[in-house]
Amino acid sequence: MSENSRVAIVTGGSSGIGREAAARLGRDGYAVVIGYAGNKDRAELAVKEVEADGGRAIAVQADVADENAVAALFDRAEQEFGGVDVIVNAAGIMPLAPLAELDLDVFDDIIRTNLRGTFVVDQQASRRVRNGGAIVNISSSLTRLARPGYSAYAASKGGVEAITLILARELRGRDITVNAVAPGPTATPLFLDGKPQELIDRIAAEPPLERLGQPSDIAEIIAFLAGPARWINGQVIYANGGSAA
């Protein structure tokens, strides 16, 4: 199947890493379905960004933790473009607090979106992605960096990594790769919002490359795993500029 006939669903595709991944896959020739939670205007801007580079895209609202909404997302992709070849699970939330202070309702929201959401999307993907496809989940280097305040978020992403490694083995015989990308600090609204500049500067200075990651850095890895990286399977790729684990 040529790249020009391949179809990608990107959850969380209206912002941050998801939006950059959608744009990159569009430039690579994929038809892109941009899944978004609630901000329709932002999702439509992401669609226009793909189309401006000559690609094809639509935006579809879906709560990633709702199995019926996710099934409808896949239905729409199949109706518009004929099938699904690549899934990028970029939807996520990141409320921060020390473990002792985190409201358990907030904890439940994190687990629902980040962990259950990945499970629900991967469940549909395992049933409906065409042979020769790829599933790319988004984890986080915080599963190794163990930064205070991130216990709930890192726990949810640890679960994402477990799902990734096991699903890769469960899809034996389908020629579908399943991998996770685990970014370090990346200059997205999810990371930057609510942080003082002094803290951002301190975190940016930690890796040997002495900067924050950019969404384009992560999108490049996603595009590699989605397309040419057919011999990488069941792996977690830590993309953090060399930050110490």
Side-chain angles (χ1 to χ4, degrees):
M1 185 175 297
S2 71
E3 216 168 54
N4 286 337
S5 64
R6 285 165 69 85
V7 179
I9 294 175
V10 182
T11 71
S14 66
S15 181
I17 289 170
R19 180 167 177 170
E20 190 65 34
R24 172 58 189 267
L25 291 173
R27 290 194 297 272
D28 286 349
Y30 292 79
V32 184
V33 179
I34 294 170
Y36 69 98
N39 192 323
K40 182 177 181 179
D41 291 341
R42 197 165 61 188
E44 291 297 338
L45 286 174
V47 167
K48 287 182 171 60
E49 185 175 355
V50 174
E51 292 176 339
D53 285 330
R56 298 176 296 158
I58 59 171
V60 180
Q61 185 175 15
D63 174 359
V64 290
D66 180 334
E67 62 270 32
N68 294 319
V70 170
L73 172 65
F74 277 74
D75 289 344
R76 184 74 186 282
E78 292 171 349
Q79 291 161 5
E80 291 286 336
F81 299 124
V84 180
D85 303 286
V86 171
I87 301 297
V88 180
N89 268 311
I93 60 174
M94 192 172 64
L96 303 179
L99 185 149
E101 300 171 13
L102 184 70
D103 186 288
L104 289 178
D105 287 339
V106 175
F107 176 83
D108 289 342
D109 288 342
I110 295 169
I111 296 301
R112 184 180 187 279
T113 298
N114 297 359
L115 183 54
R116 177 185 166 92
T118 297
F119 192 97
V120 169
V121 173
D122 280 359
Q123 189 172 67
Q124 283 294 317
S126 68
R127 298 168 180 169
R128 301 171 72 168
V129 165
R130 293 185 285 206
N131 290 6
I135 298 169
V136 184
N137 296 325
I138 304 300
S139 179
S140 171
S141 287
L142 286 160
T143 59
R144 291 187 172 184
L145 297 176
R147 194 181 300 278
Y150 289 82
S151 59
Y153 181 76
S156 72
K157 294 302 188 178
V160 167
E161 294 185 7
I163 290 170
T164 300
L165 303 183
I166 292 170
L167 183 57
R169 287 149 181 82
E170 291 180 346
L171 293 182
R172 173 181 292 274
R174 295 272 304 281
D175 190 28
I176 295 172
T177 62
V178 188
N179 294 289
V181 181
T186 305
T188 66
L190 187 69
F191 172 77
L192 296 171
D193 286 353
K195 290 185 175 67
Q197 189 61 45
E198 182 275 331
L199 176 59
I200 293 170
D201 292 343
R202 189 167 74 246
I203 293 173
E206 289 176 356
L209 297 181
E210 296 186 325
R211 66 174 177 86
L212 296 176
Q214 296 298 315
S216 58
D217 295 319
I218 311 305
E220 181 177 8
I221 300 165
I222 292 169
F224 179 58
L225 293 173
R230 300 306 303 167
W231 198 233
I232 299 177
N233 190 28
Q235 304 298 318
V236 180
I237 310 298
Y238 291 90
N240 55 36
S243 295

